[in-house]
Amino acid sequence: MLKQPNTKYRAFAPIGLKDRSWPDAQITQAPTWLSTDLRDGNQALIEPMDSERKLRMFKMLLKIGFKEIEVGFPSASQTDFDFVRLLIEQDLIPDDVTIQVLTQARQPLIERTFESLKGAKKAIVHLYNACAPVMRKVVLGMNEDQIVDLAVTHTEMIRRLAAQMPETDIGFEYSPEMFSGTELAFSKRVVDAVVEAWGATPDRKIIINLPATVEHSTPNIFADMIEWMHRNVAKRDSIVLSIHPHNDRGTGTAAAEFALMAGGDRIEGCLFGSGERTGNVDVVNIALNLYTQGVDPQLDFSDIDEVRRCAEHCTQLPVHPRHPYAGDLVYTSFSGSHQDAIKKAFAARKDGDIWNMPYLPVDPKDLGRSYDAVIRVNSQSGKGGISYLLEAEYGVELPRRLQIEFSQVVQAVMDDSGKEQSAADIWGIFEREYGLNVEQGMHPTSSEVSEGVTRLSVLADLHERSLKVEGEGTGPIDAFINGLNAQLDSTVRVLDYHEHSIGSGADAKAAAYLELRVGDGLTIFGVGIDANIVSASLKAITSGLRRASQRGQLRFAKVATV
């Protein structure tokens, strides 16, 4: 790093908006939300989503409550084109949801974009072209007049093509790309010209999207830029002012909230901040910030873990354990003083009280989390590094959520005994809790695979009951679960699966950890260890179900015992 960075970098100049009003504004209603997970989020992945993952993400976005979803760049890739056609041809778009597609300001790309939309009930065509000085001079080789002409010419083209598709309600969005690095006077000039070319009216509004394509400044300066545009653009009553922050400086959420206070109407972003470089703004974060201020965000995150698992599957990127609202550890206090304050506040709180809890800005139950996860033990609370000892001494690498679950078991033993537990003590607790010190009652009688379908027959012992499980599925685990669900009153689902080897050579064993959802409410882990990975996995299922049965959460009404 340079000793004098000012020889290479320049501070972003303030706007000088002396009578700014946004600092005293409050956000009292949710913005219009646009999810761009399937576009901006997807283009930033090491391995872009295939059709199966795209469709799963699309369905999750619908479940959350997004009414506007940018589904792709159909002129840029056949995959995106085909996905747009899939949504339209299979009638997968609800009537109250509008899909959005992106295109550059180029005639062939715009024509291809409209081809992808044939048969849609309604859609937004999103046009963009770069406007910043560095792009005009270095990349495009155009002057200001040419940039304005580029934007206007292609806006008029989109207007003509939209008129030729009367069966589809076509909305229009325009982005002066790199607005965050463009002179405000020129941004206004381009925007005003595009608004006029589209023929926007209060009854037929245009979406003007102002992106922080690269986050150059502190968020207060970006808010000044938004308020300046909010005040000065022509036909403001005919414009939906959309904000598209990125997170290059780590202040994307603050920039988005300030921009809403400064006059923005709409936010474009991704779940958990997915996107290029440091990501698009995190819509989960903004929405739940609103929620904790008493504002209905119009998005449903009441099962935040399900949303997170879907996002992690579709993007193949982990959500950080300290990620606001969604991380595994964000409602956990390891500090003894924090734990004491939370315990006392819970004891004093009455139903119906305004939420005012130390160290907890939101009630975890509102997001589908239990209070069991709030106070847990680790070395910081003086009870030892449980997972470290198990891995170091016994080669067991517990997944994070299993670490959380098992730490509560150890906490109970420590509270009862009043003494520290050695590595051997903790291993003994682990063996007893997950049934590793007893015969796990797994007796496969037959297994076959035919045309990709696994058929399995197993005799299984579940907490003083034995049953014959017969099922089929895409693999042994799926077949076993399907066979169980055919007999139990409590539906069982696999939420997560981890496995690894213990040791090496002839003595090597496989350890399997399965997170199960039993019935409507119980989430519980099972553990299996065996020389065979399939057997270890099935043992892990029976381990979890045995524990559920011991808690009275597994109903056997339909089971024919053997």
Coordinates of all heavy atoms in Angstrom, one line a residue, residues 21-33 210 212 215 218-224 226-227 241-247 250-269 280-295 297 324-325:
S21 N -33.0 17.4 2.7 CA -34.0 17.0 3.6 C -34.0 15.6 4.1 O -34.6 15.3 5.1 CB -35.4 17.3 3.0 OG -35.6 16.5 1.9
W22 N -33.2 14.8 3.4 CA -33.2 13.3 3.7 C -32.8 13.0 5.1 O -33.3 12.0 5.7 CB -32.5 12.5 2.7 CG -31.0 12.7 2.6 CD1 -30.3 13.6 1.7 CD2 -30.0 12.2 3.4 NE1 -29.0 13.5 2.0 CE2 -28.7 12.7 3.0 CE3 -30.0 11.2 4.5 CZ2 -27.5 12.3 3.6 CZ3 -28.8 10.9 5.0 CH2 -27.6 11.4 4.6
P23 N -31.8 13.7 5.8 CA -31.4 13.2 7.1 C -32.4 13.1 8.1 O -32.3 12.3 9.1 CB -30.3 14.2 7.5 CG -29.8 14.8 6.2 CD -31.0 14.8 5.3
D24 N -33.5 13.9 8.0 CA -34.6 13.9 9.0 C -35.8 13.1 8.5 O -36.8 13.0 9.3 CB -35.0 15.3 9.3 CG -34.0 16.1 10.1 OD1 -33.3 15.5 10.9 OD2 -33.8 17.3 9.8
A25 N -35.7 12.5 7.4 CA -36.8 11.7 6.9 C -36.8 10.3 7.6 O -35.8 9.8 8.1 CB -36.7 11.5 5.4
Q26 N -38.0 9.7 7.6 CA -38.2 8.4 8.1 C -38.8 7.5 7.0 O -39.7 8.0 6.3 CB -39.1 8.4 9.3 CG -38.4 8.8 10.6 CD -39.4 8.6 11.8 OE1 -40.5 9.1 11.9 NE2 -38.9 7.8 12.8
I27 N -38.4 6.3 7.0 CA -39.1 5.3 6.0 C -40.3 4.7 6.7 O -40.2 4.0 7.7 CB -38.1 4.2 5.6 CG1 -36.8 4.8 5.1 CG2 -38.7 3.3 4.6 CD1 -35.7 3.8 4.8
T28 N -41.4 5.1 6.2 CA -42.7 4.6 6.8 C -43.4 3.6 6.0 O -44.5 3.1 6.5 CB -43.6 5.8 7.0 OG1 -43.9 6.5 5.7 CG2 -43.0 6.9 7.9
Q29 N -43.0 3.2 4.8 CA -43.6 2.2 4.1 C -42.5 1.5 3.2 O -41.5 2.0 2.9 CB -44.7 2.7 3.2 CG -44.2 3.7 2.1 CD -45.4 4.2 1.3 OE1 -46.5 4.3 1.7 NE2 -45.1 4.6 0.0
A30 N -42.8 0.2 2.9 CA -41.9 -0.5 2.1 C -41.8 0.0 0.7 O -42.7 0.5 0.1 CB -42.3 -2.0 2.0
P31 N -40.6 0.0 0.1 CA -40.4 0.3 -1.3 C -41.0 -0.8 -2.2 O -41.3 -1.9 -1.7 CB -38.9 0.4 -1.5 CG -38.4 -0.6 -0.5 CD -39.3 -0.5 0.7
T32 N -41.1 -0.5 -3.5 CA -41.3 -1.5 -4.5 C -40.0 -2.3 -4.5 O -38.9 -1.7 -4.6 CB -41.7 -1.0 -5.8 OG1 -42.9 -0.2 -5.7 CG2 -41.8 -2.1 -6.9
W33 N -40.1 -3.6 -4.5 CA -38.9 -4.5 -4.5 C -38.7 -5.1 -5.9 O -39.7 -5.6 -6.5 CB -39.0 -5.6 -3.5 CG -39.2 -5.2 -2.1 CD1 -40.3 -5.2 -1.4 CD2 -38.2 -4.7 -1.2 NE1 -40.1 -4.8 -0.1 CE2 -38.8 -4.5 0.1 CE3 -36.8 -4.5 -1.3 CZ2 -38.1 -4.0 1.2 CZ3 -36.1 -4.0 -0.2 CH2 -36.8 -3.8 1.0
L210 N -31.4 4.3 -10.8 CA -30.1 5.1 -10.6 C -29.2 4.1 -9.9 O -29.3 4.0 -8.6 CB -30.4 6.3 -9.8 CG -31.4 7.3 -10.5 CD1 -31.6 8.5 -9.6 CD2 -30.9 7.7 -11.9
A212 N -25.8 2.6 -8.2 CA -24.4 2.7 -7.7 C -23.6 1.5 -8.3 O -23.3 0.6 -7.6 CB -24.3 2.7 -6.2
E215 N -19.7 1.5 -6.0 CA -19.9 2.4 -4.8 C -18.6 3.2 -4.6 O -17.6 2.8 -4.1 CB -20.2 1.6 -3.6 CG -20.7 2.4 -2.4 CD -21.1 1.5 -1.2 OE1 -20.4 0.5 -1.0 OE2 -22.0 1.8 -0.5
T218 N -19.2 7.8 0.3 CA -19.9 7.5 1.5 C -21.4 7.6 1.2 O -21.8 8.3 0.3 CB -19.5 8.5 2.7 OG1 -19.6 9.8 2.2 CG2 -18.1 8.3 3.2
P219 N -22.2 6.9 2.0 CA -23.6 6.8 1.6 C -24.4 8.1 1.7 O -25.4 8.3 1.0 CB -24.2 5.8 2.6 CG -23.2 5.6 3.7 CD -21.9 5.9 3.1
N220 N -23.9 9.0 2.5 CA -24.6 10.3 2.6 C -24.4 11.1 1.2 O -25.4 11.8 0.8 CB -24.0 11.2 3.7 CG -22.5 11.5 3.5 OD1 -21.7 10.6 3.5 ND2 -22.2 12.7 3.4
I221 N -23.3 11.0 0.6 CA -23.1 11.6 -0.7 C -24.0 11.0 -1.8 O -24.7 11.7 -2.6 CB -21.6 11.6 -1.2 CG1 -20.8 12.4 -0.2 CG2 -21.5 12.0 -2.6 CD1 -19.3 12.4 -0.5
F222 N -24.2 9.7 -1.8 CA -25.1 9.0 -2.7 C -26.5 9.5 -2.4 O -27.3 9.7 -3.4 CB -25.0 7.5 -2.6 CG -25.8 6.7 -3.5 CD1 -25.5 6.7 -4.9 CD2 -26.9 6.0 -3.1 CE1 -26.3 6.0 -5.8 CE2 -27.7 5.3 -4.0 CZ -27.4 5.3 -5.4
A223 N -26.9 9.6 -1.2 CA -28.2 10.1 -0.9 C -28.4 11.6 -1.4 O -29.5 11.9 -1.9 CB -28.4 10.1 0.7
D224 N -27.4 12.4 -1.3 CA -27.5 13.7 -1.9 C -27.7 13.7 -3.4 O -28.5 14.4 -4.0 CB -26.2 14.5 -1.6 CG -26.2 15.1 -0.2 OD1 -27.2 15.0 0.5 OD2 -25.1 15.7 0.2
I226 N -29.2 11.3 -5.0 CA -30.6 10.8 -5.3 C -31.6 12.0 -5.0 O -32.5 12.2 -5.8 CB -30.9 9.6 -4.4 CG1 -30.0 8.4 -4.7 CG2 -32.4 9.2 -4.5 CD1 -30.1 7.9 -6.1
E227 N -31.4 12.7 -3.9 CA -32.3 13.8 -3.6 C -32.2 14.9 -4.7 O -33.2 15.5 -5.1 CB -32.0 14.4 -2.3 CG -33.0 15.5 -1.9 CD -33.1 15.9 -0.5 OE1 -32.6 15.1 0.4 OE2 -33.6 17.0 -0.2
L241 N -38.8 6.1 -9.2 CA -37.4 6.3 -9.0 C -36.8 5.1 -8.3 O -37.1 4.8 -7.1 CB -37.1 7.6 -8.2 CG -35.7 8.1 -8.3 CD1 -35.3 8.5 -9.7 CD2 -35.5 9.3 -7.4
S242 N -36.0 4.3 -9.1 CA -35.5 3.0 -8.6 C -34.0 3.2 -8.2 O -33.3 3.9 -8.8 CB -35.7 2.0 -9.7 OG -35.3 0.7 -9.2
I243 N -33.6 2.4 -7.2 CA -32.3 2.5 -6.7 C -31.6 1.1 -6.7 O -32.2 0.1 -6.4 CB -32.2 3.0 -5.2 CG1 -33.2 4.2 -5.0 CG2 -30.8 3.3 -4.7 CD1 -32.8 5.4 -5.8
H244 N -30.4 1.1 -7.2 CA -29.7 -0.2 -7.4 C -28.3 -0.1 -6.8 O -27.3 0.1 -7.6 CB -29.6 -0.4 -9.0 CG -29.0 -1.8 -9.3 ND1 -29.7 -2.8 -9.9 CD2 -27.8 -2.2 -9.2 CE1 -29.0 -3.8 -10.2 NE2 -27.7 -3.5 -9.8
P245 N -28.2 -0.2 -5.5 CA -26.8 0.0 -4.9 C -26.0 -1.3 -5.0 O -26.5 -2.4 -4.9 CB -27.2 0.3 -3.4 CG -28.7 0.5 -3.4 CD -29.2 -0.3 -4.5
H246 N -24.7 -1.1 -5.1 CA -23.7 -2.2 -4.9 C -23.0 -1.9 -3.6 O -23.3 -1.0 -2.9 CB -22.8 -2.3 -6.1 CG -23.3 -3.0 -7.2 ND1 -22.9 -4.3 -7.6 CD2 -24.3 -2.7 -8.1 CE1 -23.6 -4.7 -8.7 NE2 -24.5 -3.7 -9.0
N247 N -22.1 -2.8 -3.2 CA -21.5 -2.8 -1.9 C -20.0 -2.7 -1.9 O -19.4 -3.3 -1.0 CB -22.0 -4.1 -1.2 CG -21.9 -4.0 0.3 OD1 -22.2 -3.0 0.9 ND2 -21.4 -5.1 0.9
G250 N -18.8 -1.5 1.3 CA -19.4 -2.2 2.5 C -20.6 -1.4 3.1 O -21.0 -1.7 4.2
T251 N -21.1 -0.4 2.3 CA -22.1 0.4 2.9 C -23.4 0.4 2.0 O -24.2 1.4 2.0 CB -21.7 1.9 3.1 OG1 -21.2 2.4 1.8 CG2 -20.6 2.0 4.1
G252 N -23.6 -0.7 1.3 CA -24.7 -0.8 0.3 C -26.1 -0.6 1.0 O -27.0 0.1 0.5
T253 N -26.2 -1.2 2.2 CA -27.5 -1.1 2.9 C -27.8 0.3 3.4 O -28.9 0.8 3.2 CB -27.5 -2.1 4.1 OG1 -27.4 -3.4 3.7 CG2 -28.8 -1.9 4.9
A254 N -26.8 0.9 3.9 CA -26.9 2.3 4.3 C -27.2 3.2 3.1 O -28.1 4.1 3.2 CB -25.7 2.8 5.0
A255 N -26.6 3.0 2.0 CA -26.8 3.8 0.8 C -28.3 3.6 0.3 O -28.9 4.6 -0.1 CB -25.8 3.4 -0.3
A256 N -28.7 2.4 0.4 CA -30.1 2.1 -0.1 C -31.1 2.8 0.9 O -32.1 3.4 0.4 CB -30.4 0.6 -0.1
E257 N -30.9 2.7 2.2 CA -31.9 3.3 3.1 C -31.8 4.8 3.0 O -32.9 5.5 3.0 CB -31.5 2.8 4.5 CG -31.8 1.4 4.8 CD -31.4 0.9 6.1 OE1 -30.5 1.4 6.8 OE2 -32.1 -0.1 6.6
F258 N -30.7 5.4 2.9 CA -30.6 6.8 2.7 C -31.2 7.3 1.4 O -31.9 8.3 1.4 CB -29.1 7.3 2.7 CG -28.4 7.3 4.1 CD1 -29.1 6.9 5.2 CD2 -27.1 7.7 4.2 CE1 -28.4 6.9 6.4 CE2 -26.5 7.7 5.4 CZ -27.1 7.3 6.5
A259 N -31.1 6.5 0.4 CA -31.7 6.8 -0.9 C -33.2 6.8 -0.9 O -33.9 7.6 -1.5 CB -31.2 5.8 -2.0
L260 N -33.8 5.8 -0.1 CA -35.2 5.8 0.1 C -35.6 7.1 0.9 O -36.7 7.7 0.5 CB -35.6 4.6 0.9 CG -35.5 3.2 0.1 CD1 -35.9 2.1 1.1 CD2 -36.4 3.2 -1.1
M261 N -34.9 7.5 1.8 CA -35.2 8.7 2.6 C -35.1 9.9 1.7 O -35.7 10.9 1.9 CB -34.2 8.8 3.8 CG -34.4 7.7 4.8 SD -33.0 7.5 5.9 CE -32.8 9.1 6.7
A262 N -34.2 9.8 0.6 CA -34.0 11.0 -0.3 C -35.0 11.0 -1.4 O -34.8 11.9 -2.3 CB -32.5 10.9 -0.8
G263 N -35.9 10.1 -1.5 CA -36.9 10.2 -2.6 C -37.1 9.0 -3.4 O -37.9 8.9 -4.3
G264 N -36.3 7.9 -3.2 CA -36.4 6.7 -4.0 C -37.7 6.0 -3.7 O -38.2 6.0 -2.6
D265 N -38.2 5.3 -4.7 CA -39.4 4.5 -4.6 C -39.2 3.0 -4.7 O -40.2 2.3 -4.3 CB -40.4 4.9 -5.8 CG -40.6 6.4 -5.9 OD1 -41.0 7.0 -4.9 OD2 -40.4 6.9 -7.1
R266 N -38.1 2.6 -5.1 CA -38.0 1.1 -5.5 C -36.5 0.7 -5.2 O -35.6 1.5 -5.4 CB -38.3 1.0 -7.0 CG -38.3 -0.4 -7.6 CD -38.7 -0.2 -9.1 NE -38.9 -1.5 -9.8 CZ -38.0 -1.9 -10.7 NH1 -36.9 -1.3 -10.9 NH2 -38.3 -3.1 -11.4
I267 N -36.4 -0.5 -4.8 CA -35.0 -1.1 -4.5 C -34.8 -2.3 -5.4 O -35.6 -3.2 -5.4 CB -34.8 -1.4 -3.0 CG1 -34.8 -0.2 -2.2 CG2 -33.6 -2.2 -2.8 CD1 -33.6 0.7 -2.3
E268 N -33.6 -2.4 -6.0 CA -33.2 -3.6 -6.7 C -32.1 -4.2 -6.0 O -31.1 -3.5 -5.6 CB -32.7 -3.2 -8.2 CG -33.8 -2.5 -9.0 CD -33.4 -2.4 -10.5 OE1 -32.3 -2.8 -10.8 OE2 -34.2 -1.9 -11.2
G269 N -32.2 -5.5 -5.7 CA -31.1 -6.2 -5.0 C -31.3 -7.7 -5.0 O -32.1 -8.2 -5.7
N280 N -24.6 -7.1 -4.9 CA -25.7 -6.1 -4.9 C -26.2 -5.9 -3.5 O -25.8 -6.6 -2.5 CB -26.9 -6.7 -5.7 CG -26.6 -6.7 -7.2 OD1 -25.6 -7.4 -7.6 ND2 -27.4 -6.1 -8.0
V281 N -27.0 -4.9 -3.3 CA -27.5 -4.6 -1.9 C -28.4 -5.8 -1.5 O -29.0 -6.5 -2.3 CB -28.3 -3.3 -1.9 CG1 -29.7 -3.5 -2.6 CG2 -28.5 -2.8 -0.5
D282 N -28.3 -6.1 -0.2 CA -29.0 -7.3 0.4 C -30.4 -6.9 0.8 O -30.7 -6.1 1.7 CB -28.2 -7.7 1.7 CG -28.8 -8.9 2.4 OD1 -29.9 -9.3 2.0 OD2 -28.2 -9.3 3.4
V283 N -31.4 -7.4 0.0 CA -32.8 -7.0 0.2 C -33.3 -7.6 1.5 O -34.2 -7.1 2.2 CB -33.7 -7.4 -0.9 CG1 -33.4 -6.6 -2.2 CG2 -33.6 -8.9 -1.2
V284 N -32.7 -8.8 2.0 CA -33.1 -9.4 3.3 C -32.8 -8.4 4.4 O -33.6 -8.1 5.3 CB -32.4 -10.7 3.5 CG1 -32.9 -11.3 4.8 CG2 -32.8 -11.7 2.4
N285 N -31.6 -7.8 4.3 CA -31.2 -6.9 5.3 C -32.0 -5.7 5.4 O -32.5 -5.3 6.5 CB -29.7 -6.5 5.0 CG -29.0 -6.0 6.2 OD1 -29.6 -5.7 7.3 ND2 -27.7 -5.8 6.1
I286 N -32.3 -5.1 4.2 CA -33.1 -3.8 4.2 C -34.6 -4.2 4.7 O -35.1 -3.4 5.5 CB -33.2 -3.2 2.8 CG1 -31.8 -2.9 2.3 CG2 -34.1 -2.0 2.8 CD1 -31.7 -2.4 0.9
A287 N -35.1 -5.3 4.2 CA -36.5 -5.6 4.6 C -36.6 -5.8 6.1 O -37.6 -5.3 6.7 CB -37.0 -6.8 3.8
L288 N -35.7 -6.5 6.7 CA -35.8 -6.8 8.1 C -35.4 -5.6 8.9 O -35.9 -5.5 10.1 CB -35.0 -8.1 8.4 CG -35.6 -9.3 7.8 CD1 -34.8 -10.6 8.1 CD2 -37.1 -9.5 8.3
N289 N -34.6 -4.7 8.4 CA -34.4 -3.5 9.1 C -35.7 -2.7 9.2 O -36.0 -2.1 10.2 CB -33.3 -2.6 8.3 CG -31.9 -3.1 8.6 OD1 -31.6 -4.0 9.4 ND2 -31.0 -2.5 7.8
L290 N -36.5 -2.7 8.1 CA -37.8 -2.0 8.1 C -38.7 -2.7 9.2 O -39.3 -2.0 10.0 CB -38.4 -2.1 6.8 CG -37.8 -1.3 5.6 CD1 -38.6 -1.5 4.3 CD2 -37.9 0.2 6.0
Y291 N -38.7 -4.0 9.2 CA -39.5 -4.8 10.1 C -39.2 -4.4 11.5 O -40.2 -4.2 12.3 CB -39.3 -6.3 9.8 CG -40.2 -7.2 10.7 CD1 -41.5 -7.4 10.4 CD2 -39.6 -7.9 11.8 CE1 -42.3 -8.3 11.1 CE2 -40.4 -8.7 12.5 CZ -41.7 -8.9 12.2 OH -42.5 -9.7 13.0
T292 N -37.9 -4.3 11.9 CA -37.6 -4.0 13.3 C -37.9 -2.5 13.7 O -37.8 -2.2 14.8 CB -36.1 -4.3 13.5 OG1 -35.3 -3.4 12.7 CG2 -35.7 -5.7 13.3
Q293 N -38.3 -1.7 12.7 CA -38.7 -0.4 12.9 C -40.3 -0.2 12.9 O -40.8 0.9 12.8 CB -38.1 0.6 11.9 CG -36.6 0.6 11.9 CD -36.0 1.1 13.3 OE1 -36.3 2.2 13.7 NE2 -35.3 0.2 13.9
G294 N -40.9 -1.4 12.8 CA -42.4 -1.4 12.8 C -43.0 -1.2 11.5 O -44.2 -0.9 11.4
V295 N -42.3 -1.3 10.4 CA -42.8 -1.1 9.0 C -42.9 -2.5 8.4 O -42.0 -3.3 8.3 CB -41.8 -0.3 8.2 CG1 -42.3 -0.1 6.7 CG2 -41.7 1.1 8.8
P297 N -42.5 -4.9 5.7 CA -41.7 -4.9 4.5 C -42.3 -5.5 3.2 O -41.7 -5.4 2.1 CB -40.4 -5.7 4.9 CG -41.0 -6.7 5.9 CD -42.0 -6.0 6.6
P324 N -26.2 -10.6 8.9 CA -27.4 -10.0 9.6 C -28.7 -10.8 9.4 O -29.0 -11.2 8.3 CB -27.5 -8.6 9.1 CG -26.1 -8.3 8.6 CD -25.5 -9.5 8.1
Y325 N -29.3 -11.1 10.5 CA -30.7 -11.8 10.5 C -30.6 -13.3 10.2 O -31.4 -14.0 10.6 CB -31.7 -11.1 9.7 CG -31.9 -9.6 10.1 CD1 -31.5 -8.6 9.3 CD2 -32.6 -9.3 11.2 CE1 -31.7 -7.3 9.6 CE2 -32.8 -8.0 11.6 CZ -32.3 -7.0 10.8 OH -32.5 -5.7 11.2

